[in-house]
Amino acid sequence: MYLGAQLFTDSEYEQRLTRVRELMDRQGLSAIIVTDPANIFYLIGYNAWSFYTPQMLFVPIEGEMVFFAREMDAHGAHRTSWLPEDQIVGYPESYVHRPHVHAFDWVAWALRQRHQIAPASRAGSVGLEMDSHFFSPKAYRALYNAIPEWKLVDNFELVNWVRSVKSDAEIQLMRQAGMVCSEAMRAAIETIDVGVRQCDAAAAISQAQITGTSDFGGDYPAIVPMMPTGAAADTPHLTWHQGTFTDDEAVVIELTGAHNRYHCPLARTVSLGTPSKDLDYVANATAEGLNNVLEAIRPGVATRELASTWNWTLAKYGLEKPSRLGYSIGIGYPPDWGERTISIRTEDETILETNMTFHIVCGMWMDDYGFELSESVRVSPTGVETFTSFPRELIRK
């Protein structure tokens, strides 16, 4: 029996599975194997730090789903998942981290025992999450060798694409994640100052991320706080060290709020002391570009148009940004809060729909300095909704 607080209605979970199976049918798949913990959470609500060992959700185009996990994790999976206990199967502990066997060797045998593998004459293509962080070459080899009836193919992030349009209930969770994000960014801005250790600022951010608000707590984030500082701000994904912040340097802060696994990232830049003329110039250009992009967001617009709006604004200032402008967000587990589907760049033809959600990342990584300004947004029926409300400018302390 399900013992947790189910986040969504039975009807919503049914609708998610229906959309997944419709897409499976269009791709000619008889089943998919889901290994991304965000996709497992999306379909059955399972939520635990168990993804460092092999686990999978087997989703046939007809019939019952089956979730396979390490025995000690499967034992309590019903505490977060709505899936009936007879559809949760634990593989033996003896299969954990063994050099010559893999857990999916056992899972393949269990699928045969459950009659989930059709005879060779009727077996179809089975879709795999080939780009999942949690599907290893050894896992692929185990399935390939154990179930030769299957034609294993890439499902091209099938479940991720279904996730790209959120339900109203999901949007509400993202709004709450935005409130957690605001608390974390406030903690960052209040703590970062000349003479403060970077690790102490990171600790203040992390406390705010987990404490959340007085109404609801936060989750662990999919990515730790990032704080490229000074000359190192020309590189986006640096974290922190035990040294102190110094006068007349800028600190780029990129962090997130997470609530019930839904993420709302945000980036701002703090200048300690007097910013350089170059930094000030780039900050003004970036802020104008972001505002122009936000004004362009509405249902029916192609994501490439947002990228073009951004590029034209930067060009006016004699600047350019080679990397993508943003990406789809929602459920997140380490090591990423992105959905690995829609990217905002000139070659992406995706058309915006109501309740798509994005992290718009206006990061400018120059030579020996950088500036970052971002917003997490929802495509609303009439335009755009931002999940936070911090000033879009260089923050001076």
Side-chain angles (χ1 to χ4, degrees):
M1 184 180 68
Y2 181 84
L3 299 178
Q6 186 168 315
L7 282 177
F8 305 101
T9 63
D10 291 343
S11 174
E12 178 155 341
Y13 282 116
E14 289 169 5
Q15 290 170 15
R16 293 176 182 185
L17 181 57
T18 296
R19 292 198 301 271
V20 165
R21 283 176 164 162
E22 288 171 351
L23 193 50
M24 288 169 60
D25 185 54
R26 290 203 293 272
Q27 292 189 20
L29 301 176
S30 61
I32 60 172
I33 288 173
V34 180
T35 55
D36 186 328
N39 291 338
I40 293 172
F41 175 82
Y42 181 74
L43 288 173
I44 66 170
Y46 176 69
N47 181 25
W49 193 286
S50 58
F51 43 83
Y52 68 97
T53 56
Q55 59 186 29
M56 73 148 80
L57 178 66
F58 179 76
V59 184
I61 198 159
E62 294 179 348
E64 296 178 340
M65 295 186 291
V66 186
F67 178 55
F68 294 93
R70 181 181 181 180
E71 193 170 58
M72 66 169 60
D73 294 311
H75 177 71
H78 64 282
R79 300 189 183 281
T80 62
S81 174
W82 59 264
L83 207 64
E85 289 189 60
D86 63 354
Q87 291 171 237
I88 299 171
V89 181
Y91 59 80
E93 289 293 318
S94 58
Y95 281 81
V96 175
H97 295 162
R98 296 287 292 275
H100 303 300
V101 295
H102 190 273
F104 286 3
D105 294 326
W106 188 94
V107 167
W109 171 84
L111 285 169
R112 287 192 186 280
Q113 295 297 110
R114 298 175 70 94
H115 305 289
Q116 296 280 7
I117 298 175
S121 60
R122 293 190 287 109
S125 296
V126 174
L128 306 176
E129 295 179 331
M130 292 289 203
D131 202 31
S132 167
H133 299 295
F134 306 94
F135 186 67
S136 69
K138 197 169 183 178
Y140 175 86
R141 186 180 67 181
L143 294 174
Y144 180 85
N145 290 336
I147 314 177
E149 300 97 314
W150 283 354
K151 179 181 179 181
L152 301 175
V153 299
D154 192 347
N155 75 16
F156 301 103
E157 286 70 59
L158 186 152
V159 181
N160 304 59
W161 279 100
V162 172
R163 286 167 44 201
S164 64
V165 177
K166 311 298 184 292
S167 68
D168 290 342
E170 290 181 286
I171 293 299
Q172 184 58 29
L173 290 176
M174 293 194 71
R175 290 181 180 128
Q176 292 170 335
M179 296 176 195
V180 175
C181 181
S182 294
E183 294 298 324
M185 184 59 77
R186 272 192 283 271
I189 293 169
E190 290 172 2
T191 304
I192 291 172
D193 213 336
V194 175
V196 173
R197 294 191 306 170
Q198 290 194 15
C199 54
D200 291 332
I205 293 168
S206 296
Q207 179 175 349
Q209 286 175 313
I210 296 171
T211 299
T213 75
S214 58
D215 294 322
F216 46 81
D219 279 348
Y220 62 86
I223 303 176
V224 299
M226 292 177 281
M227 293 189 297
T229 300
D234 64 1
T235 303
H237 298 129
L238 301 179
T239 56
W240 63 85
H241 54 69
Q242 63 182 5
T244 59
F245 297 108
T246 62
D247 198 17
D248 292 336
E249 69 178 4
V251 184
V252 172
I253 310 157
E254 185 173 353
L255 50 76
T256 189
H259 179 63
N260 283 320
R261 301 314 319 148
Y262 284 82
H263 281 60
C264 177
L266 182 67
R268 290 294 185 268
T269 302
V270 173
S271 176
L272 301 175
T274 304
S276 68
K277 290 183 179 179
D278 286 343
L279 177 60
D280 216 18
Y281 184 81
V282 169
N284 290 333
T286 304
E288 182 178 332
L290 176 56
N291 287 329
N292 289 344
V293 169
L294 295 178
E295 290 177 4
I297 293 175
R298 62 185 181 278
V301 171
T303 55
R304 57 179 169 78
E305 293 184 35
L306 305 184
S308 294
T309 297
W310 165 252
N311 291 338
W312 278 111
T313 305
L314 288 189
K316 185 174 69 173
Y317 287 85
L319 299 169
E320 63 177 349
K321 179 181 187 285
S323 58
R324 62 182 178 172
L325 176 62
Y327 46 83
S328 182
I329 56 171
I331 302 166
Y333 281 84
D336 189 21
W337 56 49
E339 290 184 326
R340 304 198 317 279
T341 51
I342 307 165
S343 289
I344 300 176
R345 49 190 168 202
T346 52
E347 60 267 36
D348 194 308
E349 296 293 332
T350 305
I351 303 300
L352 298 183
E353 298 179 43
T354 298
N355 280 4
M356 284 182 171
T357 52
F358 297 94
H359 186 206
I360 311 294
V361 188
C362 299
M364 299 295 294
W365 302 287
M366 315 303 285
D367 292 330
D368 296 327
Y369 74 99
F371 178 81
E372 190 172 347
L373 190 65
S374 82
E375 292 286 355
S376 286
V377 304
R378 165 198 174 225
V379 181
S380 74
T382 57
V384 66
E385 172 188 350
T386 56
F387 290 120
T388 59
S389 58
F390 279 85
R392 300 184 193 117
E393 60 188 20
L394 179 64
I395 299 168
R396 303 163 192 260
K397 290 192 74 173

